[in-house]
Amino acid sequence: MLMKLTGGRIYDPAYGINGKVRDIYVDDGWIVEAPSDGKVLQELDLRGKVVMAGAIDMHTHIGGGKVNIARTMLPEDHAADVVARTELMRSGCGHAAPSTLTAGYRYAEMGYTAGFEPAILPSNARQAHMEMHDTPIIDKGGYVMLGSDDYLLRMMAANNDQESINNYVAWTITHSQAIGVKVVNPGGINAFKFNQRKLDLDEKNSFYGVTPREILLRLARAVKELGIPHPLHVHGCNLGVPGNMNTTLDTMNGIEGLPMHMTHIQFHSYGTEGDYKFSSGAAEIAEAINRHKNITVDVGQILFGQTVTASGDSMHQHAGHAHAHPNKWVTMDIECDAGCGVLPFKYKDQSYVNALQWMIGLETFLLVEDPWRIFLTTDHPNGAPFTSYPHLIRLLMDKTFRNEVLSRLHPEAQKASRLASIDREYSLYEIAIMTRAGAAKLVGLADRGHLGVGGAADITVYTDHADREKMFSKPDYVFKDGRIVVKDGDLIDVTWGTTHVVKPDYDKSIETSLKVYFDKYLTMKMGNFKISDDEIVDDGRGSLTIQPLHKGGRI
Amino acid sequence: MSSLTFTLKEVTRQRIDCSPLTPNKLADKSLADIAKIQLVTGNLSERADALFIITEGDSQSIKFKGSNSKLDFIGHNMTKGKISVDGDVGAYFGIFMEGGLLSVKGNSFIYTGCEMKGGQIKVNGDAGDFIGGARPGRRNGMTGGTVIVTGNAGARAGDHMRRGMILIEGNTGDYCGSRMISGTIAVQGDCGRHLGYAMKRGTILLNQMPTRGITANFNDCGTHTLGYLALLFTSFKKLDTTFSRVDNFSRVRRYAGDLAGIGMGEILVKI
């Protein structure tokens, strides 16, 4: 059914369109050319409205083992936020760790049409996909976690060539149905099991003798050589440790110009100056990001209130367990091949450290010049639940509001930060880059994040409101694949999004040695490990979208 | 003035949430208003007068008649007044209670006195598992008040208990005092397995050595004469329980544990 969206003000950075009034035509889930005969079946008057592509959250923990642990561990989170069933929606609950269905509904209600789970453990990938499969409306996908798995470390200890590592990466990404590769505390999760409680960039794993720097280089090279569009997604060493900004700068320098995405950079930008031995390293980090064009970052902004931190980084979750609020936490091994830690946390505005974390995040946002290389995340739920994005957007777009919130925070922290002196305000165009065009480009989604002909009709329509929080929390319309799913901020239709993957080529001979390894060391057989396409498609509710690889990808 | 009485019309198939029927919530309400109160039963809600025959009386002294083990949340959050029940009660009897008096002539189901803060609960019968416990995933069980059970208690009596007193005149099930943070549990009868499992602090006072013994996680600290026990028994005197008639003793064998944790709890056995 051909539909015309008339007269909206379009923000489509993928085509450089900054607030131009244009019509959009939608047919059968796709954006199409204006019909030659001018006939349309339905017309929607969007004059005066702001039109953007559907937003994309490129780093959000919405599926997989650790989210489920968080759900199980926090019944109070669920009891305090109960959503009753309606004619349309199924019941759900949860603020920091919402149930799958509720997560999908809430994302759509904010104008988000895709979310990517950043830490799919290979051995837990099926569970993650099943949870995402149960998350309605939004498109999903995930980055598979490598770097602390014994198979890779064995290969590196044996000094195998890059080609065999490429093969292994391609095999894992294909059979865990992922769209990218994530590395969490490179080698550190493994080192933790050998009783190492910290692992610096050049510190050797006491068993394998491999350093994080080597792991990052090998994996970043593999991702590049395989032509996977999403650069290596890195959760660096020393998360949350004061003084870790030096490690972060070393990591950027040490990657030798290879593309790398450094995630929740806020947690990696801490100095050790001042009376509290905790200071902001945002300026140096932002300067380094501006200089290194191969680096992209997402911020992992914290916002005040109760949340839960869930991470594969068992080493640093264990180190932080004394801060658990409420006082309960989990650090565990996963299938003898990975780790995870879940720690409920309350960020307090009158805590020096938390207040400064808030400022460090915002400083990073405001000091990184290129919005194509920085992305809006709270590392849901680690910094704050994703439902706080509209508030975060207002903080970025409204200096008066930002400084007003700032003036209420811990006074010593205010003195330690230069945030108040930064005048920059994000424009709608820049927000559209961060949350749409840039994110789609970064993840490698050819058909999303833009409003050009041939793109999927994931469209969000807002009323231009001076209060950006209001504007971004209640879109007028949200289209998912051409269907109106949200009207005036309320869900009116439930659809099921697709799962985005890449399928790099690999040499089948790798399975011979992998099979032996699986049989001997892992908790399942290699045949069971592989997730088939049919499992994602299921009964037709799910679907698989294979995104193109960069040209020149090779084994 | 006689009590405000709720007589159950018939045994329902589904459980009934009775949390709105407490002295606090019914104070100053007319009979007609009370009849209109919606009670959740299964996945429906029904008017109170559809489920109960309501007899006018003092809302500060409520009676349930013909009750059975499907009536949940009786005495929810109450801070004053009195509720007495004829028959069994369901789960969460006296949950979040802060004051007043609850009594039942019959058995209570799981989570009696769950996370209560004050007041007194008397069960003239057996009580289910998790007396004075914390809801699943919560860190603190009861933080004050007294629970008296004339019969036997189920498993995990005093789970996560933080303050207050649980007096059990009969036997207890397994894991009595498990994960106890503090407070006092006194038992006249026998105890099940794993007494004081993961106990941090607090006191479990026993009239006799449990037939299944005390686990190796507790260290035998020898015999003691503890002066404070006399004070404890004096405090029992004003309570409506056979503990008020127990002969004072202050000679006990003391076991400290659970040594798998901080080991500051104690099991005191009369000698």
Side-chain angles (χ1 to χ4, degrees):
Chain A
M1 187 180 77
L2 190 64
M3 188 195 264
K4 182 182 179 190
L5 313 182
T6 314
R9 207 141 45 80
I10 313 278
Y11 290 85
D12 187 10
Y15 292 94
I17 299 172
N18 182 1
K20 244 185 9 203
V21 173
R22 268 190 25 189
D23 300 338
I24 295 175
Y25 297 87
V26 173
D27 190 20
D28 198 23
W30 300 93
I31 295 171
V32 294
E33 299 270 12
S36 48
D37 55 3
K39 268 192 197 156
V40 288
L41 276 169
Q42 199 186 345
E43 187 173 350
L44 202 61
D45 185 2
L46 299 184
R47 274 174 293 184
K49 305 283 181 193
V50 171
V51 180
M52 297 185 187
I56 297 164
D57 192 348
M58 46 67 63
H59 186 111
T60 170
H61 297 273
I62 49 169
K66 64 202 168 313
V67 190
N68 245 1
I69 294 168
R71 290 182 184 120
T72 320
M73 201 166 77
L74 295 169
E76 64 270 33
D77 179 56
H78 288 178
D81 191 354
V82 176
V83 187
R85 167 183 165 274
T86 67
E87 285 292 306
L88 182 68
M89 289 184 276
R90 291 179 47 196
S91 59
C93 55
H95 167 67
S99 57
T100 51
L101 292 142
T102 304
Y105 302 145
R106 286 188 183 159
Y107 259 121
E109 282 169 351
M110 287 193 324
Y112 274 74
T113 54
F116 290 84
E117 161 61 47
I120 294 187
L121 302 173
S123 50
N124 237 347
R126 186 167 279 110
Q127 159 79 17
H129 279 297
M130 284 174 133
E131 281 181 40
M132 289 195 283
H133 188 66
D134 211 29
T135 305
I137 304 174
I138 59 170
D139 287 355
K140 46 257 166 177
Y143 317 131
V144 68
M145 218 166 106
L146 290 172
S148 277
D149 49 317
D150 290 278
Y151 193 81
L152 178 80
L153 295 173
R154 275 163 178 255
M155 286 206 289
M156 290 187 57
N159 210 12
N160 282 17
D161 57 12
Q162 183 67 32
E163 195 176 317
S164 58
I165 287 176
N166 293 1
N167 243 336
Y168 173 61
V169 170
W171 184 87
T172 310
I173 209 169
T174 302
H175 293 297
S176 56
Q177 302 282 8
I179 194 167
V181 180
K182 162 101 175 279
V183 48
V184 172
N185 187 0
I189 304 164
N190 186 281
F192 183 73
K193 298 180 191 175
F194 293 103
N195 284 329
Q196 285 170 281
R197 291 295 175 263
K198 69 177 220 6
L199 195 72
D200 260 326
L201 192 60
D202 291 308
E203 202 171 333
K204 282 185 173 165
N205 178 313
S206 65
F207 183 75
Y208 290 105
V210 173
T211 67
R213 186 191 294 269
E214 293 161 7
I215 297 172
L216 288 175
L217 270 174
R218 288 291 197 118
L219 287 175
R221 187 159 290 138
V223 168
K224 172 122 199 292
E225 291 186 1
L226 289 168
I228 297 164
H230 185 53
L232 183 64
H233 196 101
V234 177
H235 156 147
C237 308
N238 292 335
L239 175 131
V241 180
N244 61 11
M245 55 178 283
N246 294 321
T247 318
T248 309
L249 294 170
D250 278 352
T251 311
M252 285 188 209
N253 288 324
I255 203 71
E256 299 178 0
L258 290 162
M260 175 167 69
H261 178 82
M262 302 194 70
T263 191
H264 40 71
I265 193 86
Q266 178 272 127
F267 291 106
H268 301 269
S269 307
Y270 304 149
T272 50
E273 284 159 28
D275 296 343
Y276 293 84
K277 301 282 171 244
F278 183 80
S279 60
S280 166
E284 289 90 334
I285 297 284
E287 194 267 326
I289 297 166
N290 290 336
R291 202 171 59 239
H292 291 95
K293 307 291 181 205
N294 57 321
I295 301 292
T296 53
V297 297
D298 67 84
V299 173
Q301 176 68 31
I302 70 134
L303 295 163
F304 303 111
Q306 175 71 50
T307 188
V308 56
T309 68
S311 171
D313 192 347
S314 39
M315 185 185 266
H316 290 108
Q317 292 292 72
H318 176 263
H321 74 253
H323 303 295
H325 177 99
N327 181 17
K328 46 186 170 183
W329 56 280
V330 170
T331 301
M332 64 192 283
D333 169 74
I334 307 272
E335 306 285 323
C336 303
D337 204 33
C340 108
V342 180
L343 197 91
F345 201 91
K346 189 171 188 180
Y347 292 102
K348 301 184 186 94
D349 55 2
Q350 294 312 316
S351 142
Y352 174 82
V353 171
N354 296 163
L356 200 60
Q357 284 180 303
W358 182 89
M359 296 171 203
I360 292 170
L362 290 177
E363 284 174 16
T364 313
F365 269 119
L366 299 168
L367 294 174
V368 171
E369 287 153 10
D370 183 1
W372 288 92
R373 293 198 288 120
I374 187 165
F375 301 95
L376 186 134
T377 67
T378 56
D379 190 15
H380 163 82
N382 294 334
F386 65 79
T387 41
S388 51
Y389 284 167
H391 175 74
L392 177 53
I393 291 174
R394 186 171 179 204
L395 287 171
L396 296 177
M397 296 189 72
D398 185 344
K399 177 173 183 264
T400 326
F401 176 64
R402 179 166 73 226
N403 285 348
E404 196 237 318
V405 178
L406 178 67
S407 67
R408 293 198 298 263
L409 307 185
H410 193 285
E412 292 301 316
Q414 286 185 49
K415 283 182 214 154
S417 161
R418 51 176 289 202
L419 182 62
S421 66
I422 304 177
D423 287 328
R424 182 172 173 195
E425 287 181 340
Y426 269 81
S427 65
L428 279 176
Y429 187 66
E430 286 172 317
I431 293 290
I433 296 174
M434 273 210 291
T435 56
R436 275 85 174 167
K441 186 178 160 209
L442 178 81
V443 179
L445 307 174
D447 54 351
R448 312 273 155 175
H450 64 85
L451 296 171
V453 169
D458 292 356
I459 303 167
T460 310
V461 179
Y462 301 104
T463 301
D464 195 352
H465 199 293
D467 181 347
R468 300 303 187 189
E469 184 169 347
K470 226 174 232 169
M471 170 174 171
F472 281 95
S473 49
K474 267 190 178 294
D476 293 58
Y477 295 98
V478 178
F479 291 77
K480 181 77 189 80
D481 293 312
R483 274 166 71 177
I484 301 179
V485 289
V486 172
K487 197 176 168 193
D488 300 328
D490 294 322
L491 212 68
I492 56 162
D493 193 5
V494 173
T495 64
W496 295 91
T498 185
T499 301
H500 295 280
V501 296
V502 288
K503 301 252 167 170
D505 252 348
Y506 64 87
D507 183 351
K508 278 231 159 34
S509 65
I510 189 180
E511 294 199 342
T512 323
S513 56
L514 269 173
K515 187 171 181 310
V516 176
Y517 182 79
F518 267 85
D519 286 348
K520 194 163 178 192
Y521 295 112
L522 290 184
T523 51
M524 61 179 123
K525 300 287 177 199
M526 193 181 75
N528 295 337
F529 172 88
K530 295 180 179 182
I531 301 173
S532 71
D533 292 358
D534 290 345
E535 286 179 73
I536 305 282
V537 175
D538 191 23
D539 49 3
R541 193 172 83 175
S543 64
L544 208 62
T545 304
I546 300 173
Q547 294 292 345
L549 295 168
H550 279 169
K551 285 212 173 63
R554 64 171 173 86
I555 291 291
Chain B
M1 198 175 174
S2 63
S3 299
L4 172 65
T5 310
F6 295 90
T7 310
L8 191 66
K9 284 183 174 167
E10 56 185 53
V11 177
T12 51
R13 287 181 61 204
Q14 301 294 341
R15 311 188 71 82
I16 303 173
D17 177 352
C18 297
S19 59
L21 309 181
T22 64
N24 291 68
K25 289 169 197 161
L26 300 186
D28 310 324
K29 273 209 166 90
S30 70
L31 194 62
D33 286 341
I34 296 172
K36 271 192 286 194
I37 290 174
Q38 292 287 323
L39 299 177
V40 175
T41 168
N43 61 358
L44 304 171
S45 73
E46 298 255 23
R47 280 171 63 106
D49 62 353
L51 297 166
F52 295 99
I53 299 162
I54 307 173
T55 320
E56 189 159 19
D58 179 9
S59 68
Q60 299 310 298
S61 165
I62 295 172
K63 264 203 171 94
F64 284 89
K65 285 187 174 163
S67 172
N68 63 52
S69 62
K70 283 180 175 159
L71 267 53
D72 294 339
F73 297 105
I74 292 177
H76 176 276
N77 230 345
M78 72 187 255
T79 62
K80 57 176 186 175
K82 207 167 97 178
I83 300 180
S84 56
V85 185
D86 243 343
D88 295 346
V89 293
Y92 299 104
F93 186 52
I95 184 173
F96 308 143
M97 176 176 178
E98 290 181 25
L101 194 62
L102 269 180
S103 67
V104 52
K105 275 190 207 129
N107 303 329
S108 71
F109 202 46
I110 55 170
Y111 286 110
T112 302
C114 173
E115 295 180 30
M116 75 187 276
K117 299 192 185 81
Q120 188 184 319
I121 299 178
K122 173 121 197 251
V123 180
N124 294 296
D126 297 342
D129 299 344
F130 293 100
I131 300 171
R135 287 168 295 161
R138 286 351 193 247
R139 302 283 300 177
N140 292 325
M142 68 188 280
T143 54
T146 309
V147 181
I148 301 165
V149 180
T150 63
N152 301 327
R156 295 209 181 251
D159 183 54
H160 276 316
M161 173 177 184
R162 195 168 180 113
R163 275 185 292 279
M165 210 148 59
I166 300 176
L167 305 178
I168 298 160
E169 296 175 11
N171 307 326
T172 72
D174 296 341
Y175 293 98
C176 174
S178 65
R179 305 188 280 185
M180 195 170 161
I181 301 162
S182 193
T184 306
I185 301 177
V187 186
Q188 285 186 21
D190 197 7
C191 294
R193 291 183 181 83
H194 302 294
L195 181 63
Y197 181 85
M199 183 176 177
K200 280 186 166 171
R201 285 177 292 274
T203 302
I204 300 177
L205 179 62
L206 305 179
N207 209 20
Q208 63 203 20
M209 191 67 181
T211 48
R212 291 185 181 85
I214 288 169
T215 59
N217 314 21
F218 280 80
N219 201 10
D220 185 348
C221 306
T223 55
H224 297 263
T225 306
L226 298 177
Y228 88 87
L229 287 176
L231 299 173
L232 188 66
F233 282 112
T234 310
S235 75
F236 292 161
K237 291 282 181 226
K238 57 180 190 283
L239 300 174
D240 172 22
T241 160
T242 54
F243 277 93
S244 64
R245 298 190 292 277
V246 168
D247 288 334
N248 276 8
F249 58 84
S250 53
R251 284 291 290 165
V252 289
R253 183 169 282 273
R254 183 172 185 272
Y255 295 84
D258 180 334
L259 295 172
I262 59 174
M264 290 165 77
E266 59 179 5
I267 300 173
L268 305 177
V269 187
K270 181 186 173 188
I271 44 175

